[in-house]
Amino acid sequence: MARATALRGRLARPVALLRAMPLRRQLVLLQSAIMLVVILGAGVAAVVIQERQLREAAYDRMIGVAYSVAQLPAVLEAFDDPEPSITIQPIAELIRQASDVTFVVVTDRDGVRFSHPDTDLIGQVVSTDPTALRTGEVWVGTQTSNLGESWRVKVPVFGADGDIIGQVSVGILESDLRADLVGSIWSLSGLLAVAAIIGVLLATWAANVVRRRIHGVEPDEIKAMLETRDATLHGIREGIVVVGDDGRIALCNDAAARLLDVDVADAVGERIEHVLDADVASMLADDGQRLVLAGERVLVAHADPVVVHGRTAGSVVILVDRTETDEALRALAGAQSAAEGLRAQRHEFANTLHTIGGLIELGEADAALAMVRREGVGGAISDAQDSGIHDLELAALVLAKRARARELGVRLTIDASGLAVPFDADGADLVTIVGNLVDNALEAAGVQGRVRVTLASGGDAAATGSIVVEDDGQGVPAKDREAIFELGRSSKGEGRARGYGLTLVRRVARRLGGDVRVDDSDLGGARMTVVMPVRTRAAAEIAP
């Protein structure tokens, strides 16, 4: 364990030194090290192949020389002479010198030499085993003789009758083979050294190119910048979506994922139209700023092209959530409408009190009592609840809209007598649907106009109900009845938060399993009909 710890400690120091080096030096050293390993491996392989080729060439040369001598007629005839060496020695030496071998030795059946580079050894028995004489086959191997260690070939010599009459031994000293190999290694080493120098120069050039590409920034600085960028992108509240020129999302921060209701991992790399709402995706084609709807969320989207070195590389969209702001503004507008309604009711109540006081002074007690009974029955919320609206938020909205209608001089009637069971939706969704439709109807009706709101359900058997809002305004032309539900389409002119009220109504209704349509009303204007699910009677009785 202690030895392993010490080894890790010794290895950690070079690694730490390497990390402390500038990126350019690291690249040069690493590429040079890899290149040297490859060059050394190639060199070793080349030496092994060269040594094998040298031996194969020497073998081919020796076996050719041995067979040539063993089959020469002059040599075969000389075996019958009283002194065969007189004929064989000159022939063997001539062939040895011409074929660049160390020795060509011819012997008889007893191993007595008829030729040898050292003439003093002619007539003596060979110092090695005459293998070819015994086996009658070619023998190849390394042996040590009077001339030293050599690699040799031995072939038998056959007479005219087919019997073995001698052998021919041809060999090359191992020292000569090693010398040839060393000469090849020196040549190869020179070539490898030149390749290594060129490789180091190319590694240096590549390191300089990489450093210029990253603008001379070191890895630690790149890491710090990436960490800072990620922390900044994922820490800000505004959503940021970057799309490449190929139409795929390159970056999406946490805020954008939350606003668009997508997963960051699933969004990055996907095509923009597969991930984002069509309203948001269409922003990429147009620069500038506008309101968009992502689901049921109101966003301010600002799109700009991303330009790199004078070329447009994509687009960036910055998304800011306006849902909470708009909800607060609508709540404030509702509170203001309620306050104005209460103020109007106070004036009406004061007038009523004055009238009742006058009737009492005139002695018309019965008329005063009838007026008290006529004017003092509950309030708007009680009226609404008595008429079938049991949702408090919706009842409060009715109060505000009635006050707003009186202020505008519009006659607003609400009929919920047909609402046998409540809608299967929470109060916020109902307020969104009814509030937007009634606001549009009040503006369309104008002064002295009429607006009628009807809430109904299909009874026990039906699972749907309807919200119908009608006005006596100008109506909606048939050709525009689908277009008014598109984002940004409004007949009320430019202004804050225009053109998405009906779009939001349709999205909420469809999310709840219903839909909205528009047609003509018998009042003379438009009729908006929202069809959506209602609770079953059993569920309505259980619900608090």
Side-chain angles (χ1 to χ4, degrees), residues 299-312:
L299 305 177
V300 178
H302 183 87
D304 281 310
V306 176
V307 180
V308 179
H309 301 303
R311 183 181 66 86
T312 301

Side-chain angles (χ1 to χ4, degrees), residues 1-2 52 104 110 144 168 198 256 270 273 337 340 350 355 365 367 370 375-376 387 423 467 471 476 478 482 521 528:
M1 180 65 71
R52 184 178 301 167
V104 177
D110 299 324
T144 302
V168 178
I198 295 175
E270 291 292 328
E273 61 268 19
S337 297
E340 293 171 357
T355 303
E375 299 293 338
S387 64
F423 292 103
I467 300 174
D471 62 69
V476 179
E482 280 300 318
S521 170
M528 296 286 180

